[in-house]
Amino acid sequence: MGVCRSYFHALTMGALLIGLAACSGKEVVQGECQRAYDGEICTWGTMTGDNVTEFGATVPLAMVESAPMQGELVFPPPFAAVVPLPQEVARQTGFNHLAVNWELHGHPPALFLTPHFDFHFYTIAPERVRAIDCSDLTKPAALPAGYTLPDIEIPGIGMLVGLCVPTMGMHSLLETDLNKTEPFGASMVVGYSDQSLIFLEPMIAKAKLTAAESFTVDVPAVPNAGAGVRWPTHFEAVYDPETRAYRFVFSGLPAG
């Protein structure tokens, strides 16, 4: 995927690299790192010449394994980490930060009632995300093919129109997932606020991550990604047993 093992190892240890690291004909630029439970999440981008070709995050298995398995239901779910992406990635792709939430109790619909992580890659600034209050419940006119914005009743919380969660946004899900009941492994969510697309989210079960195996999740095409946003076409979670960490990679970016 163009990221050298030595750089990957440094990221999982939380080292802050300065500038660009040359690697197999490509260059890797680091964003920031943030502690989450017993691990450190770091963001990065891969460049070929002056062009960003991949972006993502390094997610240590230690973070996943140490996420607390006891606690009260908190709504909206608190952030475990908010990590800026590299400036080059933000400038060229429109994606500017990663917000991670730990969903100990899961949430409806039934498929997602299992402990899981939300990895929101946002195209709006963190302060704008925190200001989302779900007061405007107008849904966007067009969604990715096969996706829907369901209205879901959350026991003890109420009806979430378009699965809108304050400080997160509306969550568009695959229609085929709504009636499934078995615990899920991974699903790609597309998020909105004020009728505009604001995030791309790999939602991944803790059990899927602790299996310590690489996997892919389909990324849907969107009708309108918005000005300045280069929407990826591929997502892969690459597991490295030596570092005990995943590399979440978004690739297939359209020409800038």
Side-chain angles (χ1 to χ4, degrees):
M1 306 303 293
V3 180
C4 63
R5 184 174 300 278
S6 60
Y7 177 76
F8 181 32
H9 179 73
L11 278 180
T12 59
M13 297 297 103
L16 295 178
L17 302 182
I18 299 174
L20 297 174
C23 210
S24 302
K26 296 185 178 181
E27 293 179 316
V28 178
V29 58
Q30 187 183 11
E32 296 187 17
C33 299
Q34 188 174 125
R35 193 78 177 174
Y37 308 122
D38 290 343
E40 190 172 55
I41 299 176
C42 299
T43 60
W44 50 266
T46 303
M47 302 185 70
T48 300
D50 295 329
N51 188 46
V52 173
T53 54
E54 299 171 340
F55 67 89
T58 303
V59 179
L61 196 56
M63 183 212 78
V64 176
E65 294 172 334
S66 61
M69 292 302 294
Q70 293 184 344
E72 297 295 325
L73 175 65
V74 178
F75 184 84
F79 293 110
V82 178
V83 194
L85 286 156
Q87 291 183 1
E88 291 86 347
V89 171
R91 184 172 60 252
Q92 290 194 28
T93 72
F95 289 89
N96 61 69
H97 76 281
L98 163 64
V100 182
N101 302 87
W102 166 232
E103 302 267 12
L104 165 61
H105 302 279
H107 55 73
L111 179 69
F112 305 119
L113 287 172
T114 189
H116 65 265
F117 289 90
D118 300 333
F119 297 96
H120 297 87
F121 287 81
Y122 278 100
T123 60
I124 61 174
E127 57 268 24
R128 288 185 59 193
V129 175
R130 289 192 296 269
I132 295 172
D133 59 8
C134 296
S135 58
D136 182 355
L137 295 175
T138 307
K139 298 179 182 179
L143 298 174
Y147 274 68
T148 185
L149 277 169
D151 301 337
I152 299 290
E153 180 79 24
I154 306 293
I157 295 172
M159 180 66 71
L160 302 187
V161 176
L163 260 179
C164 191
V165 179
T167 71
M168 282 189 186
M170 287 186 171
H171 292 68
S172 180
L173 309 175
L174 280 165
E175 291 184 90
T176 54
D177 284 347
L178 295 185
N179 296 318
K180 293 179 180 178
T181 57
E182 72 279 6
F184 86 118
S187 185
M188 194 65 70
V189 181
V190 180
Y192 297 85
S193 182
D194 297 326
Q195 303 180 61
S196 297
L197 186 149
I198 62 167
F199 69 74
L200 181 57
E201 176 202 348
M203 182 168 56
I204 308 173
K206 180 176 182 178
K208 180 76 169 179
L209 292 169
T210 55
E213 296 177 348
S214 299
F215 60 92
T216 62
V217 185
D218 291 339
V219 178
V222 294
N224 181 14
V229 175
R230 293 169 64 199
W231 193 257
T233 60
H234 185 73
F235 171 81
E236 184 173 12
V238 183
Y239 183 71
D240 186 312
E242 293 187 15
T243 57
R244 297 191 73 246
Y246 284 93
R247 193 171 76 249
F248 287 2
V249 185
F250 284 105
S251 60
L253 301 172

